[in-house]
């Protein structure tokens, strides 16, 4: 192992050390606060190590991994998403009975899995990262063992993830059978040839897509989303919605950058159909939902549909648009689930929309944050979501994908309906006497405040970030 | 910088008012009034300076211009500019804003701070719309005003407010997103000034877009503006929104928000897509005429007084659409006058309905009758504004409609004759309102308080405005003449070329 | 002195403002002073101006006073400006003079009404608007007055708004005249677009120079203006509102619906006579409208029972005469009849009002009777008015003015025997229904009790108007009976550009015969009325009770079925459409979309069963679909 190897892999190493440290700590003495702070510290250290690693990038670990600007950006993004999850979990778990400390370890392994995913240049790596992520997630979803729904969600996730993984691995097998290798470059080279390729390769590709589609919760692999979002503890839901999806998007984006722009027509059509179906299904399912976590779950389905539009459009703005939208979406989702998380009380989470009636008057801060997040999801100005939507439209116009844009607009309108419904509920007159929400803890408050600043900051002054993306990622 | 202040003052005022509201609602009202008053003084100062004749910069297109890069990667900037048209609209906005605060003085008793916060933010958004000369910035403000308006209807509205608020938002937002596509398409397809992508209005203005793309892009703009206006068949949101909104909301909706649609057409559609407009104008004028008559018939059928007034707005905006796409000098000037006058007359009518509702707690005209007996002041005021609305000569609306109709008669006499029937239809619904609410026998013998001094003053302000525009509209016409002239010339030049080309080919 | 012109309309307007803002606080005496006084001052100023105008005529016999430029768009600059010529002066004189008398009358007549201030406010506003109408130098300003008087008419017909019937009548008046006004507005558009101005004098010059005689454009423009005129003046086919307008207080009927506003159409055509002369079609249309209207209204007047309705139909009929005169180019004859009609018809209304007042709001003639003894002054003035209306030869103004029209209808180049015949039959009818009214109301046995006798403020205006109805005719006598042409000479200054056709056409010899025919006709009418309604009332009843008779009676009484026809053709369908579409069918379309969306939501929600096997199945289905898309594209 050369020093460059070492330097470039430093983020992975730091995180692994963190996992080991946590193990040691827990086995020595259970101390929730200590574990949580160690985790937060470890994540910060990982972030620093990303900066160090960037000195050595780009560096390829043939044939599995590459540590380059792109990968490091997403590693940092994953860690930045995991940080608030850890902070939120600290408050959240505090209110729960049972052991709390292992959760952080699972969070770290999941993040490690995500980091592997975003650095992958080989389908084998993808599989390893994915499994690491998924298995950790299973533990996290089912973590609050006293809640039946949590267990149910965990098992559902396990079963369905296993099924989709089996599709994925079968697809990979087919690809390997055809090409004798699974490196991204090889596969892309083979696919680029176009539609005359062997059926087996295409079938393999299709089945691989199933795995990705499941992770991203695209139609028709979206079925699990609401149940799992609803059942999982709110911080975990936030994690699934952001880090987990972000990692998979990064994989697709890397494929796209490495030459996937010229995808076969059949694939394009399939993806377009998936995009449109996801937008519609997500929005229509969310329309009259009464459970806020389910609403956000369905909304995430449609948002990934929007994101696909930029992929499909191609053109100059595609990558920027995807990255910007993803970041905006991640910050917003973290914020939204974060509010649900900090509001949870000892008896559990508060999910029914009806219980949120008048939140904006009783808890102006939480209400305000949730409002900002919902408006961002709806793409209203002054929020990151607005610029994100603008970016998607720009990408779509640039690629002349008019029909997809039309559906995007149509769906944004449908989406508004339920976002507004929630916002309006927050400011309705409250019928109930006393608040059942738990008071705001410091860490949760800080996290939400930062996320709000990010969402609004990216909405008001997107220029610097756009410039950064252009300089570093495209 | 003045322009930035103009937009910023209500924004800041809203924040302060919202913050104060929890503690002292009266202070909050005064703060709102003060912020708007300050803004209005600023705007009046500009008006005296630039329209008074002394400071008119002559051949420069804008009175003042201010620009600061915002998202340089897309050539987006904080580009504000003001010309006569903007100035007139800004003045109208602030006038109605002040009236709106006054009209809600006693009506709004709950969550006063948040109400004024929303109200002032709407105004700020509208002011931004009238001053933004960067299309992205324009869209930004276009959307900014929606959420507070939504909340205004949703929280302080009447019985059916939820439905109305969502409907308002969905219509405007869906059409707005189409416009977003159009704006982006315009920016990306336009050759620009050779320095990359830009959203700058001036650049688009100097080199209008032609060809089939222009047609589609124009349609995107048109749908958004026509929905806001609203033109047939995009009008159904309006009746509900106006009916359910609190008084100040209705005043602002009818008085200004609808005008942003007309303003957008004047500012963007006409000069930026001359050939597309040329091809599309007949269709648009037909929509205008249908709107005039269709909405008038709808207004006639209503039992809810506020709904009736709401539909009259659609009818009057039909004239605006007709005038804009007739595109003649007469018609365009008439359109501006109509925008102002409708702002005043509809605003006043909504205020009266609101004040009436505060007293008798119904808007259903079937439950009224003979109210003149009890509250003659209301009777006189309602009569006055009903007459304004049906286009009684001597009041501003007549001047406006006359000019629009003469202007459109020049290009489309048959359509204009149909549109003129709208004058009869306006008589029908206006008289019906008077007849059912104020005439006839009393339904009950309760005594109600007549207009208070505050209400009389607000009504008086509206009435004076209408009389002034009715007998001496020239200052307003003069203010917008240069703008309209440049709109026409940029619209006419390529059209003439276009005609010349098609003429040669024949 | 002429510079005072602009103040003439200002006084009534000031009166209106005072009454509007302080009406509820001031005592009645002050209100009466303001209400009647403002018009009085205006009348005084008018006479000053008239004196100056007549003794020292301005150049071109017209005085032009610009206040400010109203609108300025391109080459179109309508001004707020007044134009005074003989025509305007006569109109203004009648409006302020007769208006003042009626205001004075109203002080007593409306004395006990609780809305005294509102009444005078509206009346003052009316006088203001009417003066703007007659003094306007351009059609756009005229339109302000035109619609303004319409508004006041509406407000005053519906003055007693608690009565639903009154409100309906008021609405009807406004809407029907508005239909005419809209036609007229289209005429304005045409004029502006074609000639670029609405300034009357400029318009007339340009019409002559740019269109010339027999131009289709001129015909079109003239006919469109005629549309406005028939609406305002209650001529066919828009006459239906005027009889119902009698729901207003009687002074209103006298001022607005007899003397002044309803003749605005006559004034409009006279004002734009140059345009009308360019088109013989338009002239013919005016004459035919007038002739038909005078006949139709005459028959309707014959069968009314309400005294004010008789007078209303008679007003329609008399304005028909004026239209006939206009149509045959007898401009000054039309204006002459306008003036005399203003006197005697105002008189008739006011006298009838005296009766109605005395009988506690009884308007049915058949419940009056024998009043000549109880109300002598009212009776005598009413009789004088009736004589003038019927055109009893030689002694009264009505004879001379009507005779001039009858003669012109035959002798003018636009005239014809048929027009004359119609007018002559109309004259006989006039005299029959007029004296039917006199005989039924004032003679025979008394059927009702006189509650209180009118006071001086009612009687003095009656006496003055009666005097005017008698003597006003003598300023214009046919050339075979004194040949005084004061009026037509004076009027001629306003109609200079147009030749006075009536006098120039036929040789004087025939005129005497027509005069005799006219005289005999009106006297015969009196005789017939006497026979049927006083001497032998049973015969009239038996005539009316035959099947044909009763059907005709009903038909005429309902105004020739116009109301029913309009109701079926316009009102009902409009109501039906508006009622059907009350909820806005377009909204239904959007609601359907929303409904469909919600339905889709429900359907899609069914897929969320929560069962893992079902979800897994979908993963499979999805992969099959993707495979399909990729492989069989």
């Amino acid at each position: 192992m050369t020093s460059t190897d070492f330097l470039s892999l430093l983020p992975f190493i730091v995180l692994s050390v963190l996992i080991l440290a946590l193990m040691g700590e827990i086995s020595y003495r259970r101390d929730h606060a200590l574990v949580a702070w160690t985790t937060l510290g470890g994540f910060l250290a990982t972030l620093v190590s990303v900066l160090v690693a960037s000195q050595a990038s780009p560096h390829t670990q043939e044939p599995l991994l590459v540590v380059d600007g792109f990968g490091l950006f997403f590693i940092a993004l994953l860690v930045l998403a995991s940080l608030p999850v850890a902070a939120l979990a600290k408050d959240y778990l505090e209110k729960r009975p049972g052991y709390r400390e292992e959760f952080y370890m699972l969070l770290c392994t999941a993040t490690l899995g995500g980091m592997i995913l975003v650095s992958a240049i080989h389908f084998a790596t993808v599989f390893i990262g994915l499994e690491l992520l998924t298995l950790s997630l299973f533990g996290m979803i089912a973590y609050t063992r006293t809640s039946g729904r949590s267990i149910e969600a965990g098992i559902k996730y396990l079963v369905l993830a296993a099924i989709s993984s089996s599709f994925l691995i079968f697809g990979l097998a087919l690809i390997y059978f055809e090409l004798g290798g699974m490196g991204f470059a090889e596969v892309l080279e083979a696919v680029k040839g176009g539609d005359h390729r062997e059926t087996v390769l295409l079938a393999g590709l299709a089945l691989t897509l199933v795995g990705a589609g499941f992770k991203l919760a695209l139609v028709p692999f979206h079925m699990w989303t609401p149940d799992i979002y609803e059942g999982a503890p709110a911080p975990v839901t936030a994690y699934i919605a952001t880090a987990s999806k972000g990692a998979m998007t990064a994989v697709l984006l890397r494929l796209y950058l490495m030459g996937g722009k010229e995808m076969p027509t059949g694939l394009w059509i399939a993806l377009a159909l998936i995009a449109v179906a996801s937008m519609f299904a997500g929005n229509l399912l969310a329309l009259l939902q009464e459970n806020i976590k389910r609403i956000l779950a369905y909304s995430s389905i449609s948002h990934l549909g929007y994101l696909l539009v930029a992929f499909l459009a191609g053109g100059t703005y595609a990558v920027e648009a995807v990255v910007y939208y993803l970041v905006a979406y991640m910050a917003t989702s973290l914020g939204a689930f974060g509010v649900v998380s900090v509001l949870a009380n000892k008896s559990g989470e508060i999910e029914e929309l009806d219980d949120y009636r008048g939140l904006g008057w009783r808890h102006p801060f939480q209400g305000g944050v949730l409002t900002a997040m919902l408006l961002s999801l709806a793409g209203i100005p002054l929020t990151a979501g607005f610029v994100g939507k603008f970016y998607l439209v720009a990408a779509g116009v640039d690629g002349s994908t008019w029909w997809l844009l039309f559906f995007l607009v149509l769906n944004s309108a449908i989406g508004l309906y339920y976002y507004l419904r929630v916002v309006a509920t927050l400011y309705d007159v409250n019928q109930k006497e006393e608040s059942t929400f738990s008071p705001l803890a410091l860490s949760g408050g800080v996290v939400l405040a930062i996320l709000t600043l990010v969402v609004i900051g990216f909405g008001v002054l997107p220029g610097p970030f756009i410039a950064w993306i252009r300089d570093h990622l495209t | 910088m003045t322009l930035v202040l103009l937009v910023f003052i209500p924004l800041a005022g809203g924040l302060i008012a919202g913050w104060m509201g929890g503690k002292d609602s009266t202070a909050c009202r005064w703060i709102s009034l003060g912020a708007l008053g300050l803004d209005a003084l600023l705007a009046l100062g500009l008006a005296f300076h630039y329209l008074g004749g002394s400071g008119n910069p002559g051949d420069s297109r804008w009175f003042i211009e201010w620009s600061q890069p915002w998202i340089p990667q897309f050539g987006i900037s904080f580009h504000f500019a003001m010309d006569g048209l903007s100035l007139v609209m800004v003045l109208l906005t602030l006038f109605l804003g002040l009236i709106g605060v006054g009209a809600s003085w006693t009506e709004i008793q709950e969550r006063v701070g948040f109400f004024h916060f929303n109200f002032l933010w709407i105004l700020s958004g509208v002011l931004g719309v009238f001053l933004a000369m960067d299309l992205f910035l324009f869209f930004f403000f276009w959307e900014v005003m929606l959420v507070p308006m939504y909340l205004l209807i949703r929280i302080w509205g009447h019985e059916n407010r939820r439905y109305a608020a969502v409907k308002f938002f969905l219509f405007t937002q869906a059409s707005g997103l189409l416009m977003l596509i159009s704006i982006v398409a315009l920016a990306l397809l336009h050759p620009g000034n050779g320095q990359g992508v830009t959203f700058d209005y001036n650049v688009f203005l100097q080199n209008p877009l032609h060809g089939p793309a222009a047609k589609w892009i124009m349609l995107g703009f048109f749908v958004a503006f026509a929905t806001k206006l609203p033109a047939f068949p995009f009008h159904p949101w309006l009746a509900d929104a106006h009916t359910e909104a609190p008084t100040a909301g209705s005043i602002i909706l009818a008085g200004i928000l609808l005008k942003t649609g007309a303003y957008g057409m004047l500012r963007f559609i006409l000069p930026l897509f001359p050939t597309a407009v040329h091809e599309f104008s007949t269709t648009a004028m037909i929509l205008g005429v249908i709107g005039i008559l269709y909405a008038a018939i709808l207004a006639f059928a209503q039992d809810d007084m506020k709904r009736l007034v709401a539909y009259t707005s659609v009818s009057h905006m039909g004239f605006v659409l007709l005038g804009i796409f007739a595109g003649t000098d007469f018609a365009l000037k008439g359109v501006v006058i109509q925008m102002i006058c409708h702002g005043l007359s509809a605003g006043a009518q909504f205020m009266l309905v609101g004040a009436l509702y505060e007293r008798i707690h119904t808007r259903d005209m079937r439950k009224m009758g003979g109210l003149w007996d009890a509250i003659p002041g209301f009777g006189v005021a309602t009569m006055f504004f009903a007459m304004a609305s049906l286009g009684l000569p001597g009041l501003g609306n007549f001047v406006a409609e006359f000019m629009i109709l003469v202007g459109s008669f020049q290009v489309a006499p048959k359509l204009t004759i149909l549109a003129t029937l709208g004058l009869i239809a306006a008589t029908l619904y206006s008289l019906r309102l008077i007849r059912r609410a104020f005439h006839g026998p009393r339904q009950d013998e309760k005594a109600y308080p007549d207009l208070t001094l505050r209400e009389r003053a607000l009504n008086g302000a509206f009435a004076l405005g209408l009389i002034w525009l009715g007998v001496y509209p020239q200052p307003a016409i003069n203010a917008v003449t240069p703008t309209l002239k440049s709109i026409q010339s940029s619209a006419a030049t390529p059209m003439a070329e276009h005609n010349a080309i098609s003429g040669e080919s024949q | 002195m002429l510079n005072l012109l602009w103040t003439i309309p200002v006084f009534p307007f000031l009166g209106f403002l005072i009454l509007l803002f302080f009406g509820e606080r001031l005592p009645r005496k002050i209100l009466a002073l303001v209400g009647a006084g403002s018009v009085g001052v205006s009348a005084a100023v008018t006479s000053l101006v008239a004196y100056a105008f007549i003794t020292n005529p301005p150049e071109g016999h017209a005085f032009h006073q610009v206040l400010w430029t109203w609108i300025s768009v391109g080459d179109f600059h309508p001004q707020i400006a007044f134009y005074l010529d003989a025509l305007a002066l006569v109109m203004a004189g009648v409006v302020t003079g007769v208006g003042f008398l009626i205001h004075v009358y109203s002080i007593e007549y409306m004395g006990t009404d609780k809305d005294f201030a509102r009444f005078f406010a509206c009346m003052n506003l009316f006088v203001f608007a009417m003066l703007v109408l007659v003094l306007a130098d351009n059609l756009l300003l005229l339109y302000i007055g035109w619609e303004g008087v319409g508004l006041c008419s509406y407000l005053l017909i519906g003055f007693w708004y608690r009565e639903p019937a009154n409100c309906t009548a008021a609405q009807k008046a406004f809407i029907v005249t508005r239909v005419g006004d809209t036609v007229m507005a289209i005429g304005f558009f045409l004029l502006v677009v074609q000639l670029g101005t609405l300034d009357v004098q400029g318009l007339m010059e340009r019409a002559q120079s740019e269109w010339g005689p027999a131009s289709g454009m001129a015909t079109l423009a003239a006919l469109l203006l005629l549309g406005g005129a028939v609406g305002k003046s209650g001529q066919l086919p828009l006459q239906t509102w005027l009889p119902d307008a009698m729901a207003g207080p009687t002074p209103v009927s006298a001022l607005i619906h007899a003397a002044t506003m309803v003749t605005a159409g006559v004034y409009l055509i006279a004002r734009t006579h140059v345009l009308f002369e360019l088109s013989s079609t338009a002239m013919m249309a005016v004459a035919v409208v007038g002739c038909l209207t005078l006949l139709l209204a005459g028959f309707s007047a014959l069968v009314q029972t309400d005294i004010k309705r008789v007078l209303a139909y008679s007003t329609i009929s008399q304005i028909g005469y004026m239209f006939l005169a206009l149509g045959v180019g007898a401009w000054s004859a039309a204006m002459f009849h306008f003036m005399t009609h203003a006197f005697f018809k105002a008189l008739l209304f006011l006298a009838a009002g005296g009766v109605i007042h005395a009988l506690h709001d009884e308007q049915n003639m058949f419940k009056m009777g024998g009043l000549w003894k109880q109300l002598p002054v009212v009776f005598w003035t009413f009789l004088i008015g009736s004589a003038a209306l019927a055109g009893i030869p030689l002694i009264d103004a009505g004879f001379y003015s009507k005779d001039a029209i009858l003669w012109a209808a035959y002798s003018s180049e636009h005239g014809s025997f048929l027009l004359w015949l119609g007018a002559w039959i109309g004259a006989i009818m006039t005299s029959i229904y007029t004296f039917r009214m006199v005989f039924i109301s004032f003679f025979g046995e008394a059927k009702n009790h006189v509650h209180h006798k009118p006071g001086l403020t009612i009687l003095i205006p009656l006496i003055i108007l009666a005097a005017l109805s008698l003597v006003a005719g003598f300023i214009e006598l046919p050339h075979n009976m004194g040949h005084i042409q004061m009026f037509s000479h004076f009027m001629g200054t306003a109609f200079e550009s147009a030749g006075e056709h009536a006098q120039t056409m036929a040789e004087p010899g025939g005129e005497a015969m027509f005069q005799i025919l006219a005289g005999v006709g009106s006297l015969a009418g009196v005789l017939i009325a006497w026979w049927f309604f006083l001497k032998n009332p049973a015969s009239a009843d038996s005539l009316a009770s035959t099947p044909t008779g009763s059907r005709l009676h009903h038909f005429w009484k309902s105004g020739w079925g116009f109301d029913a026809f309009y109701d079926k053709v316009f009102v009902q369908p409009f109501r039906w459409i508006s009622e059907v579409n009350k909820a806005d069918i377009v909204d239904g379309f959007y609601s359907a979309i929303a409904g469909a969306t919600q339905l889709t939501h429900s359907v899609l929600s069914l897929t969320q069963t929560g069962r893992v096997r079902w979800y897994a199945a979908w993963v499979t289905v999805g992969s099959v679909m993707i495979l399909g898309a990729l492989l069989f594209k």
Side-chain angles (χ1 to χ4, degrees), chain C residues 527-535:
Chain C
L527 213 60
I528 294 169
W530 173 77
W531 172 259
F532 276 110
F533 300 107
L534 195 60
K535 177 80 178 137

PDB file of all heavy atoms in Angstrom, chain C residues 527-535:
ATOM      1  N   LEU C 527    -114.867  65.638 -30.812  1.00  0.00           N
ATOM      2  CA  LEU C 527    -116.273  65.264 -30.941  1.00  0.00           C
ATOM      3  C   LEU C 527    -116.455  63.770 -30.682  1.00  0.00           C
ATOM      4  O   LEU C 527    -117.343  63.342 -29.924  1.00  0.00           O
ATOM      5  CB  LEU C 527    -116.738  65.613 -32.356  1.00  0.00           C
ATOM      6  CG  LEU C 527    -118.183  66.052 -32.469  1.00  0.00           C
ATOM      7  CD1 LEU C 527    -118.421  67.312 -31.629  1.00  0.00           C
ATOM      8  CD2 LEU C 527    -118.549  66.281 -33.921  1.00  0.00           C
ATOM      9  N   ILE C 528    -115.602  62.968 -31.290  1.00  0.00           N
ATOM     10  CA  ILE C 528    -115.701  61.518 -31.099  1.00  0.00           C
ATOM     11  C   ILE C 528    -115.523  61.173 -29.628  1.00  0.00           C
ATOM     12  O   ILE C 528    -116.281  60.390 -29.049  1.00  0.00           O
ATOM     13  CB  ILE C 528    -114.621  60.808 -31.952  1.00  0.00           C
ATOM     14  CG1 ILE C 528    -114.920  61.013 -33.440  1.00  0.00           C
ATOM     15  CG2 ILE C 528    -114.572  59.320 -31.626  1.00  0.00           C
ATOM     16  CD1 ILE C 528    -113.786  60.596 -34.348  1.00  0.00           C
ATOM     17  N   ALA C 529    -114.518  61.804 -29.023  1.00  0.00           N
ATOM     18  CA  ALA C 529    -114.272  61.538 -27.606  1.00  0.00           C
ATOM     19  C   ALA C 529    -115.497  61.915 -26.785  1.00  0.00           C
ATOM     20  O   ALA C 529    -115.914  61.196 -25.867  1.00  0.00           O
ATOM     21  CB  ALA C 529    -113.052  62.332 -27.147  1.00  0.00           C
ATOM     22  N   TRP C 530    -116.088  63.036 -27.117  1.00  0.00           N
ATOM     23  CA  TRP C 530    -117.259  63.493 -26.366  1.00  0.00           C
ATOM     24  C   TRP C 530    -118.386  62.474 -26.489  1.00  0.00           C
ATOM     25  O   TRP C 530    -119.039  62.116 -25.535  1.00  0.00           O
ATOM     26  CB  TRP C 530    -117.680  64.868 -26.907  1.00  0.00           C
ATOM     27  CG  TRP C 530    -118.976  65.353 -26.333  1.00  0.00           C
ATOM     28  CD1 TRP C 530    -119.182  65.884 -25.111  1.00  0.00           C
ATOM     29  CD2 TRP C 530    -120.252  65.324 -26.973  1.00  0.00           C
ATOM     30  NE1 TRP C 530    -120.480  66.205 -24.917  1.00  0.00           N
ATOM     31  CE2 TRP C 530    -121.182  65.867 -26.057  1.00  0.00           C
ATOM     32  CE3 TRP C 530    -120.697  64.896 -28.237  1.00  0.00           C
ATOM     33  CZ2 TRP C 530    -122.538  65.995 -26.355  1.00  0.00           C
ATOM     34  CZ3 TRP C 530    -122.038  65.031 -28.524  1.00  0.00           C
ATOM     35  CH2 TRP C 530    -122.960  65.567 -27.602  1.00  0.00           C
ATOM     36  N   TRP C 531    -118.587  62.007 -27.730  1.00  0.00           N
ATOM     37  CA  TRP C 531    -119.681  61.055 -27.991  1.00  0.00           C
ATOM     38  C   TRP C 531    -119.469  59.753 -27.216  1.00  0.00           C
ATOM     39  O   TRP C 531    -120.348  59.285 -26.519  1.00  0.00           O
ATOM     40  CB  TRP C 531    -119.772  60.772 -29.484  1.00  0.00           C
ATOM     41  CG  TRP C 531    -120.735  59.667 -29.797  1.00  0.00           C
ATOM     42  CD1 TRP C 531    -120.442  58.384 -30.078  1.00  0.00           C
ATOM     43  CD2 TRP C 531    -122.145  59.746 -29.797  1.00  0.00           C
ATOM     44  NE1 TRP C 531    -121.563  57.643 -30.277  1.00  0.00           N
ATOM     45  CE2 TRP C 531    -122.654  58.467 -30.104  1.00  0.00           C
ATOM     46  CE3 TRP C 531    -123.073  60.810 -29.568  1.00  0.00           C
ATOM     47  CZ2 TRP C 531    -124.014  58.179 -30.198  1.00  0.00           C
ATOM     48  CZ3 TRP C 531    -124.417  60.509 -29.675  1.00  0.00           C
ATOM     49  CH2 TRP C 531    -124.880  59.208 -29.979  1.00  0.00           C
ATOM     50  N   PHE C 532    -118.278  59.222 -27.309  1.00  0.00           N
ATOM     51  CA  PHE C 532    -118.051  57.885 -26.740  1.00  0.00           C
ATOM     52  C   PHE C 532    -117.838  57.907 -25.233  1.00  0.00           C
ATOM     53  O   PHE C 532    -118.178  56.963 -24.546  1.00  0.00           O
ATOM     54  CB  PHE C 532    -116.841  57.219 -27.399  1.00  0.00           C
ATOM     55  CG  PHE C 532    -117.180  56.528 -28.680  1.00  0.00           C
ATOM     56  CD1 PHE C 532    -116.736  57.021 -29.891  1.00  0.00           C
ATOM     57  CD2 PHE C 532    -117.970  55.367 -28.664  1.00  0.00           C
ATOM     58  CE1 PHE C 532    -117.057  56.377 -31.064  1.00  0.00           C
ATOM     59  CE2 PHE C 532    -118.283  54.740 -29.848  1.00  0.00           C
ATOM     60  CZ  PHE C 532    -117.834  55.237 -31.056  1.00  0.00           C
ATOM     61  N   PHE C 533    -117.239  58.961 -24.736  1.00  0.00           N
ATOM     62  CA  PHE C 533    -116.815  58.878 -23.345  1.00  0.00           C
ATOM     63  C   PHE C 533    -117.592  59.781 -22.392  1.00  0.00           C
ATOM     64  O   PHE C 533    -117.475  59.649 -21.192  1.00  0.00           O
ATOM     65  CB  PHE C 533    -115.312  59.171 -23.243  1.00  0.00           C
ATOM     66  CG  PHE C 533    -114.514  58.196 -24.051  1.00  0.00           C
ATOM     67  CD1 PHE C 533    -113.911  58.575 -25.237  1.00  0.00           C
ATOM     68  CD2 PHE C 533    -114.417  56.868 -23.635  1.00  0.00           C
ATOM     69  CE1 PHE C 533    -113.213  57.670 -25.990  1.00  0.00           C
ATOM     70  CE2 PHE C 533    -113.710  55.955 -24.398  1.00  0.00           C
ATOM     71  CZ  PHE C 533    -113.109  56.341 -25.585  1.00  0.00           C
ATOM     72  N   LEU C 534    -118.359  60.684 -22.940  1.00  0.00           N
ATOM     73  CA  LEU C 534    -119.136  61.522 -22.030  1.00  0.00           C
ATOM     74  C   LEU C 534    -120.616  61.360 -22.314  1.00  0.00           C
ATOM     75  O   LEU C 534    -121.406  61.023 -21.436  1.00  0.00           O
ATOM     76  CB  LEU C 534    -118.726  62.987 -22.203  1.00  0.00           C
ATOM     77  CG  LEU C 534    -119.196  63.910 -21.094  1.00  0.00           C
ATOM     78  CD1 LEU C 534    -118.619  63.472 -19.752  1.00  0.00           C
ATOM     79  CD2 LEU C 534    -118.781  65.350 -21.397  1.00  0.00           C
ATOM     80  N   LYS C 535    -120.963  61.506 -23.557  1.00  0.00           N
ATOM     81  CA  LYS C 535    -122.377  61.463 -23.933  1.00  0.00           C
ATOM     82  C   LYS C 535    -122.913  60.041 -23.830  1.00  0.00           C
ATOM     83  O   LYS C 535    -123.980  59.794 -23.314  1.00  0.00           O
ATOM     84  CB  LYS C 535    -122.507  61.997 -25.375  1.00  0.00           C
ATOM     85  CG  LYS C 535    -123.900  61.965 -25.939  1.00  0.00           C
ATOM     86  CD  LYS C 535    -124.729  63.143 -25.433  1.00  0.00           C
ATOM     87  CE  LYS C 535    -126.103  63.099 -26.077  1.00  0.00           C
ATOM     88  NZ  LYS C 535    -127.176  63.384 -25.121  1.00  0.00           N
TER      89      LYS C 535
END
